[in-house]
Structure formats: structure tokens, C-alpha cells
Amino acid sequence: MDYFRGDVCGVDNCRATQYYIEDGLSYCKNGHRREGRTQVQEDEDDFGTQGRKTRQKRETREKVSRIYRGPKAFELYLQAYQLILWKQCFWLVHTKGFPAELENIVHDLWALRLQLLKARTEEPSDTETASHVFSSQSEDETETAAEEARRKRKKLRGKDAPTLVDTLGMCYLATLLLRLPVSVGDLHRWAVREEILFVRAVRFVPLAMREKLPGHYLGALDTRSVLKSDHLHNSVVELVLIYNREFGMSFPALNHPLLLFKYIKELAIPLDVYPVIDRLTLLCSYDFLFPTSGTRYRVSSLPEPQLMSLLIIAVKLYYPFDAITRCPRTSTEPAALSIDWKAWAAIQDNDIARNHVGRALEKGKEMEIGEHDVFNMTERQMDEYLDWYGKTWLDEEARNSNPKALPAQLLDMFPTNRAGGSIIPQEHALSGEGESKVEQEAVLDKVKQVQSSMGMRRVISDVDAEHNKEPVKRPGSYYKHYRRVQDLPHDAKVFFEAAARAVGLSLHTLVKAVFQTECKLQAWKLARRRAEAAKLIQDDVPALSTDGSEPKTLHLHGRDHESE
């Protein structure tokens, strides 16, 4: 019997250490069975399987992404976009006191826009997907098709994703349909000053929706730079073209009498220019309608630039910015008054400062501040800027819901809000009707100050002008054209800047619109002179004789030309 050594048996204090195997079981030399030791013979079929691991197959689960893709993401983007649009309408109706019908009109405009976007919210079929994957065309044919598709996509822009600035454009079109005296400049000013929802509008979208939106859709609802006024005008025109081309919808003309009166009050200009602007409107054949055809248009073809350019031309005719002395014929003429442009500019500066009373940093300029401006800011300006930054860019909801965020106890040690609370003192914090009343009173006060600073020009009648040694310069003479911003004198530049803020245009664009309108008036003047000259020639030429013979003498411009 073969024994092998092992541990001490230990059964009944047995001290044996020698063991033998019988029937696969281990026994000590004294016959005690050793538990836990069973010898198993290896099967020849299992040769070479040592070290192999077997794992239980788990059920394959489809990975579900938290961020939506494709049509589902676009549909969610439209829902977030619609929420922002509704908040803007709510502010216009309940804060600015606009008619409640405004919300219904914006709803209808948005419903029409959704009809063009319906195809992008549907899942593509297998046939459409395969047509995009497999193609038997050559490279040249593929490039040609891509160019055609690009042109078609550019033409049918209504099927592209709506941009954030289009929300303001739809609100403006709703006011236009209601014939309200609201300008693009008003919406631009409210957006820049963060009165209406626009700057970083994505922060007002619920976190549950933001977490599922892709990055490019989140960026479309965000603002990284200041809204340019010209972009808002372009958005309005593009929306008008879309609704007209796709649905045959036409928009009414501007309610230009009320809007012109509003411009005159804001700029504190005498009301005497009103009838002159009506006359200039007829000469230029302006109807104050948006263009409904073509993709390229001049700035002078837009209604609000047309109206403001006519106002500026009337001001240049009656109250020019140069130092030339012009004498009216009677004291009842509108040009008998003169505006002290130095005093006018000082009154405008005081009005701007009054709008920002209680603030060290001008409201609406926060996004224009760069790294170099920080070194020149005062302590109070820095506090106001950091307060604005914390309110605009820090997302408390996202921070609290993020499990990887820093502990609240640590963040509370570095508070982002000042102990002083609001940026604006309570005595200057106004909203709604109170703010509108204050604005109206400020405008009336500005008009009174400008009118009190106006003077009278020397009146020289036609009879007295005949006895003067030098020719008398009348109002409207020596009219100056300004083609570029660099050509503007200081007083004219200050006035043009105020007019640009009122109409919502950049200074460069407004100067271009005024010059284009002046060219149109110059063309009318030239055509009128030609017509008068042709009429004069026709009156000087004698009629043919009854027998058909030609006359012997032709009288042209007072000179006699003998016929051959």
C-alpha cells in the first residue's frame, strides 16, 4: 500500500501523518477518514482545458443616450423655441400693455412657420436613407446636385431652423398687423437692455429640456455677442418674404403718421416738419411697404429707414447743421426758427444720463465690455458688472442638479451675490406702467427744453431782397449731401446717432439710406427740369401751317435758327 504524507489527522487525537487512498477517499494509517479530500480522475476528453474561463451571457441592452438626435432633437428645439416666444409675448402684453390679440397673432404666425418645419420632425424612411447612402452618380454629377440643393435650400429658407432673432421679428410683425406705432428700434432696445427675453434666453428653458438638447441647438438659443440692429431688420424682411412666398400673405404698410409723430417727439424736432415729410413722401413714391420679391434689396426700400430718411432730409432743409445764414421770406415759415444744435446735443446727453440714473454702468452695455475695459472701471461699476454676470451666466439649477459639482458648503463660503442686493436702488426700480409714464414725462420735458432753446432767423422779404447788394440765401439752399459717416460734421453726427437709435439701425446704414433717398429726390428734380425744358421747347415751336408747309423760323431758347 502506497502512503503519502500530509497534515496531522487529528481524529480522536490521532497523530498519524501518513495517508493512503481507497475508492477515491483518503484514510490515515490508523484508518480514519480524512474529510474534504476526494481524488477525481481526469477525463481524457478534458485534456488541455485547464485555465479556461466560462462567463454567463448577459442580455444585450440598447444604449440610450441622454441627448436627443435627429428629428427628435429638432422637435425638442422647437418646443424650447416656442416657450421663449411665449415668454416674449407675455412680457409685451402684461408689462408693456400691448393688446391681448398680440399673443394670438404671434401664435398664428408661429403655426404657419411650423408647417414648413413639419418634414424635419418626421423620421426618414428606409428608402430616403438608402438614397442618401448609395449613389451611382459620378463626382461631377454629385457636385452639381449639391449646388442645386444648396441654392434651393437658400431659396426656401423657411425650412431652416428658426433663429433666436426671429422671435423678435415675429413679435414685430404682430405689432405691424395690429397697426401699432412700434419700431424695430424699440424691440432692439428692449432686447439689448434685457427687458424682453433675448439675452441668453437658453437659461429660461427648463433644465430637463436643456439636458436633452444637442450643443448646436443650445448654442442657437444662446447669445454670445450683442444683437446688431441691422440683423433685426434683416430678420424682419426675411420673415416677410417667407410668409409672402409660401402662404401668399401680405403685410400692411407702416402706420407712418403715428410712427412719424413718435420719431419727432423722441428727437425733439419741431412739428412743422410733418407736412414737409408728407410732400417728400409723394415725391419719392414711398408706400412704406416691405419688399415681397427678390432676395437682394436696398436699405432705402425698407419702410422704417424710408420714413427716418425723409425726416432727416426735412431737418436738413429747415434746420441745417452748417453755419450758413439763411433768411426766410416770412416769419410764418417753418424755417423761420433755428435749432441750437449744441444745446440740443447737451439735452440729449442729459436725457441718456437720466435713463441710467442710479447706475454706474450703462444698462445694455454689459456684453460690450472687454478685458481692456476692466482696468478703467470703478469699484461700483465692477460690482454692477459682476452682479450682471452672476445673474446672466451662472446657472444655479444646473449646479444643484450636477452630482459632480462642488459641495454646497464649500460654494457658500464664496457667495456670488453682494450683500447690497439689487444693482438698482429701490427708488429707481420701475416697471410696467410706472416706467412708461416716466418715459413719457422725460420725452415731454426734453421737447420743452429744446423748444425753449430755439431762436428766430432774420426775415427778409422778396421786396427787401431786391435792394440788398448781395443775394439772399434762402432756406433749403446750399444743401449738403453726406455719403459716408466720415463726412458728417459733429452736430450732424450727434443727430444721426440719435436717429439711428430711434429707428434701430447702425449709423453707417442710416447714412446710406439717407443718401439713397436724396439721390431719388435728385433724380425727380432732374426729371422735372427736363420736362419743363421740353414743354418750353414745345411752346416755342410754332404750329405747322394748314397746307402742311414748314415754318421759316424756329425759336429755340430765345435764339432764332433759320431753316434751310
Side-chain angles (χ1 to χ4, degrees), residues 493-540:
K493 187 176 181 180
V494 174
F495 179 77
F496 270 71
E497 288 175 349
R501 287 193 298 268
V503 75
L505 285 173
S506 63
L507 181 59
H508 172 75
T509 306
L510 181 60
V511 172
K512 183 189 297 184
V514 174
F515 183 76
Q516 291 176 0
T517 303
E518 290 172 343
C519 292
K520 200 164 189 176
L521 289 172
Q522 194 72 18
W524 169 85
K525 185 178 179 180
L526 183 60
R528 182 182 178 183
R529 287 181 178 177
R530 289 176 177 174
E532 291 176 352
K535 184 179 180 181
L536 182 62
I537 295 174
Q538 185 178 2
D539 294 341
D540 288 347

Side-chain angles (χ1 to χ4, degrees), residues 26-304:
S26 299
Y27 297 91
C28 71
K29 190 176 182 179
N30 298 325
H32 300 132
R33 181 181 174 182
R34 189 181 186 187
E35 300 292 340
R37 292 293 184 97
T38 304
Q39 185 174 3
V40 180
Q41 187 176 1
E42 295 182 0
D43 193 354
E44 294 180 358
D45 296 336
D46 294 335
F47 178 77
T49 60
Q50 293 182 358
R52 179 182 297 178
K53 297 180 180 179
T54 58
R55 294 184 177 91
Q56 183 181 4
K57 291 185 178 180
R58 298 181 180 179
E59 182 181 357
T60 57
R61 297 180 181 179
E62 183 180 359
K63 291 184 178 180
V64 179
S65 177
R66 291 181 56 188
I67 300 178
Y68 289 170
R69 303 292 179 186
K72 197 172 183 181
F74 185 70
E75 184 177 359
L76 184 61
Y77 169 75
L78 294 180
Q79 293 175 1
Y81 189 92
Q82 181 173 314
L83 176 63
I84 295 173
L85 185 60
W86 175 81
K87 287 179 177 291
Q88 292 175 344
C89 296
F90 186 87
W91 182 85
L92 290 173
V93 173
H94 294 85
T95 302
K96 283 297 181 180
F98 282 31
E101 293 82 358
L102 177 76
E103 187 173 351
N104 297 331
I105 295 177
V106 174
H107 175 271
D108 294 340
L109 292 175
W110 176 238
L112 292 176
R113 188 71 185 275
L114 286 178
Q115 293 183 15
L116 302 176
L117 304 171
K118 184 179 179 182
R120 294 191 57 180
T121 60
E122 298 175 351
E123 294 288 345
S125 61
D126 297 338
T127 306
E128 294 176 352
T129 305
S131 64
H132 290 289
V133 176
F134 303 100
S135 177
S136 58
Q137 295 178 336
S138 63
E139 294 182 0
D140 296 337
E141 293 175 344
T142 305
E143 291 177 0
T144 304
E147 291 176 358
E148 293 178 356
R150 192 181 302 112
R151 286 196 297 268
K152 185 177 180 180
R153 186 165 57 250
K154 185 176 180 181
K155 181 180 179 181
L156 302 176
R157 185 188 175 279
K159 296 183 180 180
D160 294 342
T163 59
L164 186 59
V165 69
D166 289 344
T167 59
L168 300 177
M170 281 187 279
C171 291
Y172 174 79
L173 292 181
T175 61
L176 183 64
L177 291 171
L178 290 174
R179 307 284 291 164
L180 299 176
V182 179
S183 67
V184 177
D186 294 332
L187 285 169
H188 177 262
R189 182 171 61 254
W190 295 336
V192 171
R193 298 181 63 180
E194 300 185 37
E195 297 178 14
I196 191 172
L197 176 60
F198 182 79
V199 176
R200 298 221 66 232
V202 67
R203 57 196 164 110
F204 292 93
V205 177
L207 182 61
M209 300 177 68
R210 276 182 286 162
E211 290 179 343
K212 299 177 181 179
L213 279 174
H216 59 281
Y217 285 138
L218 288 175
L221 299 177
D222 202 350
T223 51
R224 299 294 181 180
S225 59
V226 183
L227 173 64
K228 295 183 179 180
S229 52
D230 293 350
H231 291 175
L232 184 53
H233 276 275
N234 293 336
S235 174
V236 172
V237 176
E238 289 173 357
L239 287 175
V240 171
L241 294 176
I242 289 173
Y243 285 117
N244 180 266
R245 181 176 60 243
E246 300 296 332
F247 306 103
M249 184 176 179
S250 60
F251 290 87
L254 288 181
N255 192 355
H256 67 277
L258 294 181
L259 196 57
L260 178 59
F261 180 68
K262 177 183 176 182
Y263 287 157
I264 292 175
K265 282 201 310 180
E266 289 184 3
L267 298 176
I269 299 300
L271 199 59
D272 299 331
V273 301
Y274 193 98
V276 182
I277 296 174
D278 286 342
R279 174 63 177 165
L280 293 175
T281 302
L282 296 176
L283 297 181
C284 294
S285 302
Y286 282 163
D287 52 8
F288 304 113
L289 288 170
F290 281 96
T292 56
S293 61
T295 56
R296 301 186 65 180
Y297 47 85
R298 306 179 72 182
V299 64
S300 59
S301 63
L302 305 184
E304 287 199 38

Side-chain angles (χ1 to χ4, degrees), residues 377-449:
M377 295 172 65
T378 62
E379 182 178 354
R380 187 178 177 188
Q381 288 176 341
M382 184 68 73
D383 290 337
E384 291 183 1
Y385 177 75
L386 292 178
D387 287 345
W388 170 84
Y389 190 91
K391 181 189 69 173
T392 307
W393 295 94
L394 298 184
D395 194 346
E396 297 292 337
E397 184 181 3
R399 188 198 72 178
N400 297 332
S401 61
N402 187 5
K404 297 182 180 180
L406 295 175
Q409 295 82 357
L410 180 60
L411 294 175
D412 292 341
M413 296 175 62
F414 305 94
T416 56
N417 297 328
R418 284 190 293 146
S422 176
I423 298 175
I424 306 176
Q426 191 64 29
E427 60 269 17
H428 302 300
L430 297 174
S431 61
E433 298 180 357
E435 185 179 359
S436 299
K437 292 181 180 178
V438 171
E439 290 179 355
Q440 293 176 3
E441 293 176 358
V443 170
L444 292 178
D445 186 33
K446 181 173 62 175
V447 171
K448 293 178 182 178
Q449 293 181 28

Side-chain angles (χ1 to χ4, degrees), residues 312-363:
I312 293 176
I313 291 173
V315 170
K316 291 172 64 178
L317 286 171
Y318 283 165
Y319 317 105
F321 302 101
D322 52 30
I324 299 176
T325 301
R326 298 174 177 84
C327 302
R329 292 180 174 84
T330 62
S331 59
T332 58
E333 294 182 19
L337 296 174
S338 64
I339 296 179
D340 185 357
W341 290 110
K342 303 293 183 184
W344 184 91
I347 294 172
Q348 286 288 334
D349 293 339
N350 294 335
D351 183 67
I352 294 175
R354 178 166 42 190
N355 291 335
H356 303 285
V357 65
R359 297 176 57 94
L361 195 64
E362 184 178 351
K363 190 174 183 180

